[in-house]
């Protein structure tokens, strides 16, 4: 008999329940809300319908205090009697915008789902406008259509669209990929610098002039699990992906940093010196919130593609049990390392047939159900505690210093429900 320790089966090998049906998820236009904050000299011009304009205005308009950096060119059927007219209309709108706004250095033409827009060749429009306004403004197109993208995939299609235009480099460097809040990005760069990894570039960059290049000696680490298209685009440019669990919680952050440290030959002593103190802080902060979470069950509806790494965090670091972990798409190359850290047991599901999944959630009656806004209210009315998945994208949750806040996002609805129960008794 072999003395090798037996490893427990993980979710990496678990069967996946694949469902295709009606789904309840925001479209990719939603990602403009955080992308426009990140890329400070960019403008997002949505080529869409009044519905798209309403979505952006109601979801994001309230957050704009200065000159807005996104808008909607509304195309209606009458505009589209001829496609040539529509192309001219886009040109007119872009010219008007760029003549008024000298601060815009990157312009994104964002496609949406009305059939009139689908028929438009936005790639051609971007090419034509790029040639016209280069080098002052770079024009790129990507899709945020609800037919093709869920809300976080808008970031993926945006970043993937930027990759082909990046300058080439032979430099040995690390690229961090994903739009993080500035303060969180600074923490990540600081941790890497303490490990001696200083040739670091970030996609997306804050400003068009920030040097971001890619080539065969670039290795890249994703900070978000929904960047499958961007990952493939970078690989096509010769860069190599560093596979790792995502940097959520103490364990995820350490594993993510460890994978980079191994790539750059960082010694154990240097790694420990860089990470020991923040690891201890993260563990303490998680332990506090985990008092409420330990022993509780969680059910994930598919929404942000953060579900698998977050389930790994909640089960591995907060003592929760996952009943179902649903994700809109499962990129195994990206989330495989997280799946491998979740012991077999939960149902892994990909895609959605919302009524069937609601039946499963009602039967499971998990202590906490993580879902989109549209499902949360009805489920709350049925007595289930819920967490809005979209909050997880808008709140700083990565790396050590946010680990306690991340656990707190899940413990708060449970504590609130506990207090309401006590008050009702
Ligand atoms: Fe609606 Fe499609 Fe516009 Fe999104 S892109 S707001 S789903 S019409």
């Amino acid at each position: 008999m072999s003395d090798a320790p037996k490893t427990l089966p993980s979710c990496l090998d678990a069967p996946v329940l694949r469902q295709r049906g009606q789904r309840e998820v925001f479209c990719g236009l939603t990602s403009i809300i955080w992308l426009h904050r990140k890329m400070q000299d960019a403008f997002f011009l949505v080529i869409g319908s009044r519905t798209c304009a309403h979505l952006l205005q109601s979801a994001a308009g309230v957050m704009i205090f200065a000159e807005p950096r996104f808008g909607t060119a509304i195309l209606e059927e009458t505009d589209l009697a001829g496609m040539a007219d529509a192309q001219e209309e886009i040109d007119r709108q872009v010219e008007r915008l760029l003549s008024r706004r000298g601060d815009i250095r990157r312009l994104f033409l964002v496609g949406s789902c009305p059939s009139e827009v689908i028929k438009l060749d936005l790639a051609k429009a971007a090419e034509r406008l790029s040639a016209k306004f280069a080098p002052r403004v770079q024009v790129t197109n990507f899709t945020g259509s609800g037919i093709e993208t869920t809300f976080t995939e808008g970031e993926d299609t945006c970043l993937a669209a930027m990759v082909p235009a990046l300058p080439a480099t032979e430099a040995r460097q690390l690229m961090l990929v994903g739009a993080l809040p500035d303060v969180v990005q600074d923490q990540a760069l600081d941790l890497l610098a303490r490990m001696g990894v200083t040739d670091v570039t970030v996609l997306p960059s804050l400003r068009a002039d920030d040097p971001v290049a890619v080539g065969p000696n670039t290795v890249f680490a994703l900070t978000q699990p929904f960047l499958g298209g961007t990952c493939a685009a970078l690989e096509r440019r010769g860069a190599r992906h560093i596979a790792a669990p995502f940097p959520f919680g103490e364990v995820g952050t350490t594993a993510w940093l460890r994978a980079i440290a191994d790539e750059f030959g960082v010694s154990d002593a240097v790694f420990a010196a860089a990470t020991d103190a923040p690891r201890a802080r993260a563990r303490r902060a998680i332990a506090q919130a985990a008092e409420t979470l330990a022993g509780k069950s969680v059910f994930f509806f598919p929404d942000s593609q953060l579900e698998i790494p977050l389930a790994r965090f909640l089960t591995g670091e907060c003592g929760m049990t996952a009943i179902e972990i649903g994700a809109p798409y499962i990129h195994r190359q990206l989330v495989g390392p997280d799946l491998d850290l979740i012991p077999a047991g939960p149902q892994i599901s990909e895609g959605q047939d919302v009524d069937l999944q609601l039946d499963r959630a009602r039967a499971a009656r998990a202590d906490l159900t993580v879902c989109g806004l549209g499902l949360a209210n009805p489920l709350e009315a049925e007595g289930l505690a819920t967490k809005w998945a979209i909050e997880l994208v808008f709140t700083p949750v990565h790396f050590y210093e946010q680990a306690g806040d991340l656990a707190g996002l899940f413990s708060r609805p449970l504590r609130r429900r506990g207090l309401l129960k006590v008050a009702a008794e």
Side-chain angles (χ1 to χ4, degrees):
M1 252 175 74
S2 158
D3 288 338
K6 269 197 177 155
T7 50
L8 292 170
S10 78
C11 282
L12 190 60
D13 307 311
V16 176
L17 175 67
R18 291 199 170 81
Q19 300 212 301
R20 294 283 176 265
Q22 198 191 332
R23 52 182 197 168
E24 298 266 347
V25 190
F26 280 120
C27 67
L29 295 190
T30 321
S31 64
I32 293 171
I33 298 168
W34 64 87
L35 286 172
H36 91 275
R37 279 194 230 150
K38 190 72 212 173
M39 292 187 252
Q40 296 186 349
D41 51 10
F43 192 98
F44 295 82
L45 184 64
V46 176
I47 315 298
S49 65
R50 289 189 191 283
T51 314
C52 308
H54 285 146
L55 172 85
L56 278 182
Q57 271 158 21
S58 56
V62 288
M63 300 180 196
I64 301 299
F65 299 102
E67 273 267 62
R69 284 195 293 102
F70 53 79
T72 314
I74 296 171
L75 295 185
E76 294 180 294
E77 272 181 56
T78 45
D79 299 330
L80 292 160
M83 285 294 136
D85 293 351
Q87 295 282 2
E88 277 165 26
E89 175 60 17
I90 292 173
D91 289 14
R92 258 197 306 275
Q93 296 248 11
V94 167
E95 260 166 56
R96 207 175 310 142
L97 176 71
L98 295 182
S99 64
R100 218 170 34 84
R101 297 281 303 272
D103 57 316
I104 298 171
R105 299 287 317 282
R106 290 175 280 187
L107 175 67
F108 291 96
L109 302 179
V110 191
S112 59
C113 42
S115 54
E116 299 81 23
V117 178
I118 292 172
K119 286 181 219 148
L120 279 174
D121 191 342
L122 289 184
K124 240 199 194 115
E127 219 174 273
R128 186 177 62 243
L129 290 162
S130 253
K132 185 163 183 186
F133 292 102
R136 196 194 110 203
V137 184
Q138 186 179 57
V139 186
T140 312
N141 74 292
F142 72 93
T143 181
S145 152
I147 299 168
E148 294 165 83
T149 59
T150 57
F151 72 107
T152 49
E153 281 178 293
E155 176 175 335
D156 189 28
T157 54
C158 176
L159 300 194
M162 292 167 76
V163 171
L166 294 180
T169 179
E170 292 294 318
R172 166 81 169 148
Q173 59 168 359
L174 171 68
M175 182 186 279
L176 290 193
V177 187
L180 293 174
D182 294 346
V183 57
V184 178
Q185 183 176 306
D186 289 347
Q187 285 169 18
L189 293 173
D190 183 55
L191 281 164
L192 292 167
R194 283 167 194 267
M195 287 173 13
V197 181
T198 47
D199 288 328
V200 186
T201 185
V202 179
L203 182 75
S205 60
L206 222 53
R207 309 203 153 268
D209 290 337
D210 294 345
V212 187
V214 66
N217 298 314
T218 303
V219 287
F220 65 94
L222 301 175
T223 56
Q224 301 285 18
F226 44 75
L227 298 173
T230 310
C231 177
L234 287 166
E235 286 175 338
R236 281 195 291 276
R237 294 289 309 268
R240 184 162 46 81
H241 173 220
I242 302 176
F246 282 88
F248 298 115
E250 185 265 314
V251 173
T253 303
T254 304
W256 187 87
L257 288 169
R258 184 79 254 178
I260 295 171
D262 289 347
E263 174 69 35
F264 284 87
V266 177
S267 71
D268 286 349
V270 170
F271 186 79
T275 58
D276 277 358
R279 280 180 80 174
R281 275 200 299 278
R283 269 198 295 262
R284 276 197 302 276
I286 294 169
Q288 236 174 19
E291 280 172 21
T292 313
L293 298 172
K296 302 284 197 315
S297 57
V298 60
F299 188 111
F300 279 92
F301 277 80
D303 206 81
S304 62
Q305 289 193 48
L306 294 170
E307 295 84 5
I308 289 171
L310 292 179
R312 195 270 308 144
F313 168 69
L314 291 176
T315 55
E317 301 189 50
C318 302
M320 294 189 87
T321 311
I323 296 172
E324 176 162 340
I325 308 168
Y329 301 102
I330 299 180
H331 292 282
R332 293 182 91 79
Q333 182 193 348
L334 274 53
V335 294
D338 278 291
L339 275 173
D340 204 23
L341 291 174
I342 306 172
Q347 172 70 66
I348 307 292
S349 61
E350 183 181 26
Q352 187 172 47
D353 187 323
V354 71
D355 287 328
L356 295 179
Q357 197 167 29
L358 277 169
D359 289 346
R360 297 198 296 279
R362 287 181 178 122
R365 294 199 69 80
D367 295 303
L368 185 64
T369 303
V370 184
C371 58
L373 288 168
L375 297 178
N377 282 348
L379 290 175
E380 285 277 343
E382 292 174 32
L384 294 173
T386 62
K387 175 83 231 151
W388 293 351
I390 201 161
E391 258 188 84
L392 299 158
V393 179
F394 287 121
T395 313
V397 290
H398 291 73
F399 300 108
Y400 294 127
E401 306 306 335
Q402 281 65 239
D405 294 345
L406 176 59
L409 281 177
F410 294 98
S411 64
R412 261 198 304 279
L414 291 177
R415 272 214 310 275
R416 189 176 134 257
R417 185 155 287 265
L419 289 174
L420 288 174
K421 240 187 214 161
V422 172
E425 280 166 8

